[in-house]
Amino acid sequence: MTRLRGILITGASSGLGAGLARSYAANGVQLVLVGRDAARLEAVAAACRDAGAAVIVGQFDVGEAEPLGRWLIERDDAVPFDLVIAAAGVSAGTGPDSKPEGVKLAAMQVRANLLGTVHTVEPLLPALLKRGAGQVVVIASTAALRGLPYCPAYSASKAGIRAYGEALRALLAPRGVAVSVVVPGFFDTPMTDRWQGPRPFMVGLDRMVRVVRRGIDRRRSRIVFPRLLALGSQAADLMPAAIGDRIMRAFRFHIEPGR
Ligand SMILES: NC(=O)c1ccc[n+]([C@@H]2O[C@H](COP(=O)([O-])OP(=O)(O)OC[C@H]3O[C@@H](n4cnc5c(N)ncnc54)[C@H](OP(=O)(O)O)[C@@H]3O)[C@@H](O)[C@H]2O)c1
């Protein structure tokens, strides 16, 4: 009997994570879907089951290492993960009057985004390395390439994810485990609905899901889309700081409080 293809997706109750879950749902696949909102998670799980996948849902806060890690190892023991996608993420930012985010809001983003990625990936690395197979996908952002003035902690968390993914890739590739670092620009989800301001080159969710899925399937080291926005951010980073800062300040926006 052929074994199920094991796929873990965090942030699977909404946006990119939910889109990827639906895209991978098929006979012969076991999806392990992680999020916090039980109702939204179950709705995605039901759609994936309808498409033929076996689905297990886990209601966890990825910011809490211990319960998540223990559960992920148990899931991997039952059906080994071939693909681990850490897509959970939150965004906040400065107030409409550029009021600083403050410790609580800033730390919350670093915890959910950067530590959430680490809490998802690290517990599974020993098993992936033992098998000498598998693929890890982490989701950064163009905000990782040049920090955005109106969401400093989000930018920092995403820069951390990007550095973590790039480092892991170099470390793990010789041992048979691939790492893909996704650097997306704006795409249409409940997260971007809360971003009030310019969102250049914004694409629909379906398009972003297709691009990311294709990159994952080809085991691309980096999945950067749209490229022009990423190039613009990198160019701003290479300029003298005062000029880069002036350009970045033009993209003035604020982020409405999350759900
Ligand atoms: N949308 C964009 O334009 C954009 C651009 C660049 C990068 N990204 C990144 O892409 C990823 C997906 O974003 P999206 O736009 O699809 O966002 P979204 O629609 O708001 O979905 C975010 C997902 O992350 C989950 N999540 C958030 N905090 C969590 C926590 N502490 N524990 C467990 N799950 C948590 C949410 O689950 P619950 O709601 O169930 O808690 C939800 O499933 C994020 O990493 C985001 O930073 C987005």
Side-chain angles (χ1 to χ4, degrees):
M1 203 174 79
T2 51
R3 84 162 173 85
L4 289 169
R5 181 183 186 202
I7 301 179
L8 165 66
I9 304 176
T10 69
S13 56
S14 179
L16 181 62
L20 287 169
R22 289 195 179 92
S23 151
Y24 279 108
N27 288 321
V29 171
Q30 177 175 280
L31 290 167
V32 173
L33 306 180
V34 173
R36 290 172 304 183
D37 186 287
R40 280 191 277 110
L41 201 51
E42 201 39 64
V44 177
C48 294
R49 287 189 189 106
D50 285 349
V55 183
I56 295 175
V57 297
Q59 216 185 329
F60 288 96
D61 179 344
V62 296
E64 288 177 22
E66 176 59 24
L68 175 69
R70 211 173 331 113
W71 187 77
L72 289 179
I73 289 168
E74 284 168 17
R75 298 281 68 76
D76 186 76
D77 284 345
V79 174
F81 290 122
D82 301 287
L83 178 58
V84 171
I85 304 175
V90 286
S91 66
T94 61
D97 51 357
S98 302
K99 181 172 163 271
E101 293 171 291
V103 170
K104 206 169 157 200
L105 207 51
M108 181 274 285
Q109 294 170 81
V110 175
R111 186 167 153 272
N113 298 350
L114 176 55
L115 291 181
T117 298
V118 171
H119 296 163
T120 302
V121 173
E122 289 294 328
L124 297 171
L125 288 184
L128 290 170
L129 287 170
K130 194 166 168 201
R131 295 194 287 274
Q135 184 177 8
V136 173
V137 179
V138 300
I139 314 292
S141 162
T142 43
L145 305 172
R146 205 332 175 148
L148 298 173
Y150 303 101
C151 52
Y154 180 79
S155 303
S157 70
K158 291 294 173 179
I161 291 173
R162 177 169 177 261
Y164 175 69
E166 297 275 332
L168 272 189
R169 191 180 57 241
L171 179 74
L172 304 183
R175 300 174 66 186
V177 178
V179 177
S180 299
V181 178
V182 183
V183 183
F186 299 99
F187 54 97
D188 193 10
T189 69
M191 183 181 280
T192 27
D193 286 347
R194 295 188 294 103
W195 294 9
Q196 307 297 319
R199 290 164 296 179
F201 304 107
M202 176 135 142
V203 299
L205 174 62
D206 288 349
R207 176 123 186 252
M208 187 57 83
V209 168
R210 278 199 306 277
V211 169
V212 172
R213 164 84 199 250
R214 192 171 58 230
I216 294 173
D217 290 350
R218 293 177 182 176
R219 290 170 88 86
R220 291 262 190 263
S221 300
R222 295 180 180 139
I223 303 165
V224 183
F225 184 79
R227 283 201 163 273
L228 212 51
L229 186 65
L231 282 173
S233 301
Q234 283 169 322
D237 195 41
L238 291 173
M239 289 172 193
I243 300 173
D245 288 351
R246 206 173 314 139
I247 293 170
M248 299 314 280
R249 268 198 296 270
F251 295 99
R252 189 183 188 88
F253 61 83
H254 78 272
I255 300 173
E256 300 287 347
R259 57 190 172 198

